[in-house]
């Protein structure tokens, strides 16, 4: 079995999840996983963490991983869209709230023109 078909098989057979990681400073990261890897805690940009935590801070460092969505029968496209919606819902792309870089945060509020 080639690498691509192995990944496709893993995707088909596993739960697809959206998770929320909460760091000690209260900031969050929203991500997805379809590998059933219990040890996976996201692909956050390490430089963002280094800005918020000192070398001493990480000597005792607790994070919380919460599964906020879990489903076996969802397409990759739908999972990607759902992840984006959760990022927007939790506002985790706002640098003051979380560590998601995409979608790019805009502090401009829409003005309702009635």
């Amino acid at each position: 079995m080639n690498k691509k078909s192995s990944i496709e098989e893993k995707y088909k057979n596993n739960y697809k999840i959206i998770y929320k990681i909460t760091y000690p400073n209260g900031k969050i990261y929203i991500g997805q996983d379809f590998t059933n890897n219990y040890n996976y805690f996201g692909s956050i940009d390490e430089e963002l963490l280094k800005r918020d935590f000192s070398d001493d801070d990480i000597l005792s460092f607790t994070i919380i991983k919460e599964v906020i969505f879990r489903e076996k029968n969802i397409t990759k496209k739908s999972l990607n869209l759902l992840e984006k919606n959760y990022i927007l819902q939790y506002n985790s792309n706002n640098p003051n709230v979380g560590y998601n870089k995409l979608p790019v945060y805009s502090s401009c509020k829409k003005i309702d023109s009635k």
Side-chain angles (χ1 to χ4, degrees):
M1 182 179 332
N2 66 33
K3 188 175 182 177
K4 184 177 180 182
S5 61
S6 173
I7 291 171
E8 289 169 352
E9 193 66 25
K10 197 175 235 189
Y11 185 86
K12 183 174 82 173
N13 293 327
N14 288 334
Y15 278 104
K16 281 58 109 184
I17 66 168
I18 305 288
Y19 56 83
K20 179 177 82 165
I21 304 288
T22 304
Y23 289 85
N25 60 1
K27 287 188 177 182
I28 61 174
Y29 177 82
I30 304 292
Q32 64 171 276
D33 182 36
F34 58 86
T35 64
N36 281 349
N37 183 343
Y38 297 164
N39 196 35
Y40 183 67
F41 286 86
S43 54
I44 185 172
D45 184 341
E46 185 178 358
E47 291 305 313
L48 297 176
L49 290 176
K50 286 181 178 180
R51 288 184 209 154
D52 285 347
F53 299 99
S54 70
D55 290 342
D56 289 339
D57 288 336
I58 63 167
L59 295 176
S60 179
F61 195 84
T62 302
I63 63 173
I64 299 168
K65 180 179 181 180
E66 175 187 357
V67 174
I68 55 178
F69 174 84
R70 181 180 136 174
E71 176 65 50
K72 273 194 175 184
N73 299 315
I74 186 170
T75 66
K76 183 73 169 146
K77 183 176 181 179
S78 294
L79 188 67
N80 289 339
L81 182 60
L82 190 59
E83 178 187 27
K84 180 180 177 182
N85 288 339
Y86 275 115
I87 289 168
L88 296 173
Q89 176 184 333
Y90 282 95
N91 200 27
S92 63
N93 59 336
N94 176 340
N96 295 319
V97 175
Y99 293 112
N100 287 94
K101 292 170 126 182
L102 297 173
V104 175
Y105 177 73
S106 172
S107 60
C108 299
K109 302 287 182 195
K110 289 184 179 177
I111 299 172
D112 189 23
S113 55
K114 290 186 178 181

